[in-house]
Amino acid sequence: MAVGDLAKTGVQSVLGYFPETTYGTNAVTTTAIRAIEPTSIGVVTKFDTVKFDTLSRHRGFTHQAQMNKMVEGPVDTFLHPEETLDLFINAMGGNYTFTSLTSAGDHSISTGNFATTDTLTSFSLFVRKGDTHSWRITGAVVNSLKVSAAIGEPVKVTAEFVAQNSSMSAADNLQNNMSISTIAPLVYADGTYRYDATEASLTSSVAEPIQAFELEINNNLVTDEKNRQLGIRTISGRPPALRREINFKASMRFDTTTTFDRMVSNTAGAAQLVFDGTTITAEYQRRVTITMPNVRIKNTDPVVEGADSVLQSEMEFDVILSGDSATATSREIGMTWRNAVTAKR
């Protein structure tokens, strides 16, 4: 059989993972594996190469060598109150607290720095592409995470990973140890957007109708030569995190001058996204709450696209720290997940 004879399909591909105790040391085993149901898996291994530019009697290059090894790429999935929790904790820097409830739990995620005292600072991934070939990926960290929703769609999540190393093993059958949630992911109809002057006043009474939103957390992790060393092709350790950037935008019908006035006056406000899921018990319901306590609208002026168009504002926000930046409680974004995960991750 020649290489490329078979047509393998992606439908049986799977993604499993487990938090690492030691960065870069594989943590996925038959008893330690969690699962995400992705829509696509773009994490790949690639190398920089060099072709030596030497003088010879020929015009072609005569020598080549491998240089840096990179393991990186996106994983696309849907927002799920249980399955995607770990992705958001890691994207936020790994720091969070857990409160136990009856048959439920509250996971309060604050902005962390991937410190050794934080949890969920890196993952080992198990990736099967197709029905046969498996990869072990170690030292995986979420460099950026994007969550978005629009009318008539599920809530989409894209996690852009950077990892330290990878290897391939055709003998892995860890998909047999994965457990997939029976709870459906969240959709646009589960979501609410709130805006008001302060975080404390973000109640259901200040909800404002929007048609779409996009929120991105970018950690700006260092994976170039500043986190590499002589003698190895992979990055040296957990990538240092530079300035965290939070980008938020939302689409809203333009019917009054309220959002325009907020922009012109550079009004300080607080924004929140709330997603209500299915019931856990008679007492508790699944809920994902994402809060940005200090935002400014920097763009909202509508464009008239034609006679048959509805005036629409594409609002863009600056998301900045709230409170005294010298205190540990100052933050630009925070999240609370209530779900059926009944222990700290």
Side-chain angles (χ1 to χ4, degrees):
M1 183 182 298
V3 174
D5 263 356
L6 298 179
K8 297 284 187 179
T9 64
V11 67
Q12 291 180 276
S13 302
V14 297
L15 174 63
Y17 72 97
F18 206 76
E20 294 178 342
T21 302
T22 302
Y23 177 78
T25 300
N26 181 54
V28 174
T29 67
T30 55
T31 57
I33 188 169
R34 300 171 185 170
I36 296 172
E37 284 190 285
T39 58
S40 68
I41 304 171
V43 182
V44 296
T45 303
K46 53 188 177 182
F47 288 88
D48 284 334
T49 61
V50 61
K51 294 183 287 186
F52 294 89
D53 195 3
T54 58
L55 300 176
S56 71
R57 61 180 293 180
H58 295 284
R59 292 179 57 237
F61 293 98
T62 57
H63 300 287
Q64 177 261 13
Q66 286 184 330
M67 306 296 278
N68 292 337
K69 182 179 184 180
M70 287 85 65
V71 185
E72 57 191 17
V75 171
D76 295 319
T77 185
F78 298 123
L79 183 65
H80 191 282
E82 272 99 30
E83 286 185 3
T84 53
L85 167 64
D86 292 354
L87 293 183
F88 280 78
I89 296 174
N90 187 258
M92 289 278 284
N95 184 34
Y96 89 111
T97 59
F98 171 74
T99 302
S100 180
L101 306 171
T102 304
S103 300
D106 277 349
H107 308 260
S108 299
I109 312 171
S110 56
T111 48
N113 298 312
F114 297 103
T116 55
T117 55
D118 291 336
T119 58
L120 295 180
T121 54
S122 64
F123 301 118
S124 295
L125 306 182
F126 163 72
V127 178
R128 190 180 73 174
K129 299 180 181 181
D131 62 349
T132 304
H133 301 101
S134 301
W135 280 258
R136 296 289 189 105
I137 297 169
T138 54
V141 181
V142 177
N143 188 18
S144 66
L145 184 143
K146 183 184 295 184
V147 54
S148 61
I151 302 301
E153 296 181 358
V155 185
K156 300 174 183 178
V157 175
T158 298
E160 189 80 31
F161 282 96
V162 295
Q164 185 181 46
N165 213 344
S166 68
S167 61
M168 190 176 181
S169 173
D172 273 340
N173 290 302
L174 294 180
Q175 67 275 1
N176 299 329
N177 302 96
M178 296 168 58
S179 177
I180 301 298
S181 173
T182 59
I183 301 301
L186 297 160
V187 301
Y188 80 100
D190 299 319
T192 302
Y193 166 73
R194 299 171 180 174
Y195 179 95
D196 208 47
T198 65
E199 179 180 1
S201 57
L202 288 172
T203 63
S204 57
S205 63
V206 297
E208 297 182 351
I210 60 173
Q211 283 66 58
F213 78 88
E214 185 177 287
L215 172 66
E216 183 178 13
I217 304 167
N218 189 346
N219 287 304
N220 289 307
L221 300 179
V222 178
T223 59
D224 61 10
E225 69 280 358
K226 299 179 187 65
N227 192 33
R228 295 179 182 267
Q229 65 190 54
L230 292 176
I232 58 174
R233 304 188 195 282
T234 61
I235 57 177
S236 299
R238 185 183 295 111
L242 302 181
R243 180 83 69 189
R244 179 174 40 245
E245 295 179 80
I246 308 297
N247 299 308
F248 179 55
K249 55 185 179 181
S251 299
M252 174 185 281
R253 291 185 292 261
F254 187 86
D255 55 353
T256 72
T257 64
T258 300
T259 60
F260 186 84
D261 293 339
R262 290 170 184 169
M263 177 188 69
V264 172
S265 301
N266 202 29
T267 302
Q272 189 175 75
L273 298 165
V274 181
F275 300 93
D276 287 315
T278 54
T279 298
I280 304 172
T281 64
E283 188 176 3
Y284 299 115
Q285 180 182 11
R286 290 174 174 84
R287 170 172 283 194
V288 176
T289 305
I290 302 173
T291 303
M292 291 159 281
N294 192 5
V295 300
R296 308 287 193 280
I297 298 177
K298 64 178 183 179
N299 179 32
T300 190
D301 202 348
V303 174
V304 180
E305 297 180 341
D308 59 349
S309 65
V310 173
L311 291 181
Q312 196 85 4
S313 290
E314 301 299 325
M315 297 186 296
E316 294 183 66
F317 295 80
D318 282 330
V319 182
I320 57 178
L321 284 170
S322 67
D324 184 351
S325 62
T327 64
T329 57
S330 181
R331 58 179 187 160
E332 70 269 43
I333 187 172
M335 304 180 187
T336 301
W337 293 53
R338 175 168 290 177
N339 55 29
V341 177
T342 57
K344 188 168 185 178
R345 303 299 268 172

